[in-house]
């Protein structure tokens, strides 16, 4: 996980991330060549230059390595969002940015995974399920913020109404995140200033900005 203080990861963390990435690259390369059933943990370990024991320190199965990690919602960032005083979408952008940093954000790796998952609907379904859990977690955090907002408290809205609004916010913001993710993956201009300087963060800002402009006026 990325240090919430913004400090660069230490040597041990960099090695851990490098090993985790190597395992994922290895399994995706092998599956592309041999199919899921034709790949074993021993094959993955040899390709990644790790022992099978090390493989299982990182992933419970080859399928887990193929699907990869869903983003996490860091507790400190979530708590900061709940008590945030800024515009809701702006504060959500900061939370999402912190969240995305909890996984390996590597366009080459993500592109490889996308190709494999498209060819294996059962694994794609597992990835969708993990992202749905993430969405539900985000909805709960938004619900906490809305429930504690003075305007909501004074309105007399019941818990079900607040939960419904929070779910709507989470759905819409997740759609914007997916849009940003797709734009980032499909951007082939490696010299584009935004890609070099900000990468996915810039795409997230652009998608949230477009969403804000669209909902603030009739189109």
């Amino acid at each position: 996980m990325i240090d919430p203080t913004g400090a660069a990861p230490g040597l041990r963390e960099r090695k851990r991330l490098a090993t985790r990435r190597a395992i994922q690259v290895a399994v995706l390369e092998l599956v592309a060549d041999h199919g899921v059933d034709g790949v074993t943990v021993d094959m993955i370990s040899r390709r990644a230059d790790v022992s099978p024991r090390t493989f299982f320190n990182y992933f419970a199965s080859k399928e887990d390595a193929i699907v990869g990690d869903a983003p996490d919602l860091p507790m400190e960032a979530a708590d900061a969002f709940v008590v945030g005083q800024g515009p809701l979408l702006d504060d959500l952008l900061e939370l999402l940015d912190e969240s995305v940093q909890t996984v390996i954000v590597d366009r080459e790796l993500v592109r490889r995974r996308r190709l494999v998952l498209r060819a294996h609907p059962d694994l794609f379904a597992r990835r969708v399920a993990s992202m749905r859990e993430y969405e539900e977690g985000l909805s709960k955090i938004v619900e906490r913020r809305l429930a504690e907002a003075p305007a909501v408290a004074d309105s007399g809205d019941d818990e079900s109404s607040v939960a419904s609004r929070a779910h709507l916010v989470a759905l819409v913001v997740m759609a914007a995140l997916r849009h940003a993710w797709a734009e980032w993956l499909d951007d082939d201009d490696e010299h584009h200033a935004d890609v070099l300087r900000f990468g996915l963060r810039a795409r997230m800002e652009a998608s949230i900005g477009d969403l804000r402009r669209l909902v603030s006026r009739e189109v």
Side-chain angles (χ1 to χ4, degrees):
M1 184 177 294
I2 302 299
D3 188 332
T5 65
L11 178 60
R12 174 179 289 186
E13 178 66 6
R14 292 199 301 272
K15 287 184 175 180
R16 187 191 71 81
L17 291 174
T19 300
R20 195 172 190 85
R21 182 187 185 280
I23 291 171
Q24 292 178 79
V25 169
V27 70
L28 293 171
E29 288 178 345
L30 289 166
V31 168
D33 292 338
H34 303 289
V36 175
D37 293 338
V39 175
T40 66
V41 169
D42 284 342
M43 292 169 63
I44 299 166
S45 300
R46 286 195 298 271
R47 177 69 66 91
D49 195 23
V50 300
S51 68
R53 180 178 179 179
T54 296
F55 173 91
F56 286 115
N57 285 337
Y58 285 86
F59 296 100
S61 67
K62 65 181 180 183
E63 289 81 9
D64 284 344
I66 294 168
V67 171
D69 306 309
D72 193 13
L73 288 162
M75 184 178 299
E76 289 186 17
D79 289 342
F81 167 78
V82 170
V83 299
Q85 300 297 314
L88 182 65
L89 289 179
D90 289 348
D91 289 350
L92 268 172
L93 174 61
E94 296 304 321
L95 174 58
L96 291 175
D97 189 39
E98 290 280 348
S99 179
V100 167
Q101 292 183 57
T102 66
V103 295
I104 298 173
V105 181
D106 179 321
R107 288 208 300 173
E108 177 188 356
L109 181 63
V110 176
R111 283 171 169 170
R112 288 176 184 270
R113 175 171 291 115
R114 182 169 64 172
L115 290 174
V116 170
L117 294 183
R118 283 176 174 175
H120 297 86
D122 55 329
L123 295 177
F124 179 75
R126 286 182 60 167
R127 180 69 181 181
V128 170
S130 69
M131 291 305 296
R132 186 171 294 119
E133 291 181 8
Y134 175 76
E135 180 183 290
E136 291 173 356
L138 182 64
S139 180
K140 292 295 185 183
I141 293 171
V142 174
E143 183 179 348
R144 285 172 55 199
R145 167 144 170 178
L146 295 183
E148 295 181 17
V152 174
D154 294 341
S155 69
D157 288 345
D158 57 27
E159 291 183 3
S160 62
S161 296
V162 175
S164 177
R165 291 175 185 173
H167 188 213
L168 174 60
V169 171
L171 287 173
V172 172
V173 170
M174 285 297 296
L177 178 60
R178 292 188 182 97
H179 177 264
W181 195 269
E183 292 283 301
W184 174 69
L185 284 178
D186 293 335
D187 191 342
D188 292 324
D189 184 2
E190 300 292 344
H191 299 290
H192 192 284
D194 283 348
V195 173
L196 286 175
R197 291 177 59 205
F198 304 114
L200 181 57
R201 166 70 189 227
R203 293 302 183 190
M204 291 166 58
E205 289 178 352
S207 293
I208 294 293
D210 286 344
L211 175 62
R212 182 186 292 108
R213 286 187 291 273
L214 285 170
V215 300
S216 65
R217 69 175 189 273
E218 294 184 4
V219 295

